[in-house]
Amino acid sequence: WPSGMEEEPEENHAVRIRLGLPLQCVDAADYDDSTDWSDVPLQAYMVSGEVALCGDDAGEDQRSYVGLALGDTIVAGDNQTEDYDDDDDEIEDHDGDVDGEESQHADFGDMMKQYAKDAASETCEPVPQELWNTTVRDGEDQDCKGWWQSIAGGARSVADDIGQAFVGGVPLLMEDGTVADCVTSLDWDYDFSQNVKSACWPSGMEEMPEGNHAVRVTLELPLKCADVNGPTMALADIPEETIVISGEVAFCGEDAGEDQRSYRWAAGDQ
């Protein structure tokens, strides 16, 4: 919820959303009807945009669309670039102060560490591999939303949801307890089910909230990672590592969907 938007206009109640998207982009000055899109590379971008829920300007505001090409750089601390034109005052005003962004990132890092600590104290019932292509536990379908068709298999899978998050770039709690922004070189339409190492039902998640029925999935992914508190780095300068990561998805409840607090370097027994 951007602090400066609530009264512009009054009762605007704007919300800012960030998405990871595969996009083909060209400079507006170079674009015309003859542009050959087959020559434009597809890249993963982190895109930010705002929508006013009320007021005269209710609806999406295309002036607010900004993005960072993760194919070129990783910006530590926040996945947004500051390389705007001097006359783009409106966009810059919506970025918020740097101290506030760093504080939010630190808070999220603390949440990830607490989540990992809580998860380490739980038991996790293994999901038999023959059931990975379902969302069934003890004969009952755990997906009350109807959003997933499998843990790791055909159609929409939990494995794809977690893997695609890394296509756009997301924070990862590293083995040493630091938080890094990580991006994978795998494509958005890659079958991430191929990279699943294990799946299990965490004991502590079933009642948070009640009926959550979360599943924990562990995948092995090629990742390039930069410390969120480190300097801006060119993606080409960051070595790629094969990292085993763990993430959780709740099938039901108010928090249904992947939980990015749960993305962490997986120990050998997870």
Side-chain angles (χ1 to χ4, degrees):
W1 304 108
S3 60
M5 292 296 291
E6 191 169 346
E7 297 179 11
E8 299 176 13
E10 186 177 354
E11 303 303 320
N12 229 6
H13 306 300
V15 62
R16 181 178 302 157
I17 301 292
R18 185 177 300 169
L19 308 91
L21 296 175
L23 298 174
Q24 291 175 286
C25 295
V26 296
D27 192 304
D30 299 330
Y31 173 79
D32 59 38
D33 292 340
S34 63
T35 298
D36 186 354
W37 289 100
S38 65
D39 294 334
V40 181
L42 186 70
Q43 292 181 282
Y45 284 78
M46 188 66 75
V47 177
S48 175
E50 292 172 6
V51 168
L53 304 179
C54 296
D56 294 338
D57 293 336
E60 70 273 14
D61 188 339
Q62 295 187 10
R63 299 170 303 170
S64 69
Y65 294 168
V66 294
L68 167 68
L70 291 177
D72 296 327
T73 59
I74 285 181
V75 175
D78 189 19
N79 285 327
Q80 291 203 27
T81 177
E82 295 180 359
D83 187 20
Y84 304 126
D85 294 336
D86 292 338
D87 59 354
D88 284 344
D89 295 333
E90 202 152 24
I91 292 178
E92 291 175 358
D93 286 344
H94 292 175
D95 278 345
D97 63 272
V98 174
D99 290 341
E101 296 284 0
E102 290 179 350
S103 175
Q104 290 178 11
H105 212 117
D107 290 345
F108 189 72
D110 290 341
M111 291 168 62
M112 296 179 81
K113 293 172 187 176
Q114 184 60 49
Y115 196 105
K117 181 180 178 181
D118 293 342
S121 67
E122 300 169 353
T123 59
C124 202
E125 178 188 339
V127 180
Q129 189 167 355
E130 59 267 24
L131 293 179
W132 287 4
N133 67 339
T134 74
T135 55
V136 172
R137 181 184 189 185
D138 296 332
E140 294 186 10
D141 192 348
Q142 303 298 295
D143 178 16
C144 64
K145 298 288 187 180
W147 290 350
W148 296 270
Q149 282 71 48
S150 67
I151 294 170
R156 180 174 179 180
S157 68
V158 172
D160 280 346
D161 268 19
I162 296 173
Q164 287 169 354
F166 285 90
V167 175
V170 288
L172 179 69
L173 183 63
M174 304 299 281
E175 187 177 31
D176 61 3
T178 60
V179 178
D181 281 330
C182 297
V183 61
T184 183
S185 56
L186 299 175
D187 294 332
W188 188 270
D189 57 358
Y190 178 80
D191 180 8
F192 288 92
S193 294
Q194 301 178 69
N195 295 57
V196 172
K197 307 292 288 184
S198 65
C200 62
W201 304 106
S203 60
M205 291 297 294
E206 192 168 347
E207 297 180 10
M208 293 192 294
E210 185 176 354
N212 231 2
H213 309 300
V215 64
R216 180 179 301 158
V217 176
T218 300
L219 306 92
E220 188 174 69
L221 298 175
L223 297 174
K224 292 191 174 190
C225 298
D227 191 314
V228 297
N229 295 314
T232 299
M233 299 179 67
L235 194 63
D237 295 336
I238 302 173
E240 185 173 78
E241 299 180 77
T242 299
I243 298 176
V244 179
I245 65 100
S246 177
E248 291 170 7
V249 165
F251 287 129
C252 295
E254 295 177 358
D255 294 335
E258 67 270 16
D259 190 334
Q260 294 189 7
R261 297 173 303 167
S262 70
Y263 295 166
R264 58 192 180 274
W265 188 299
D269 59 351
Q270 289 188 303

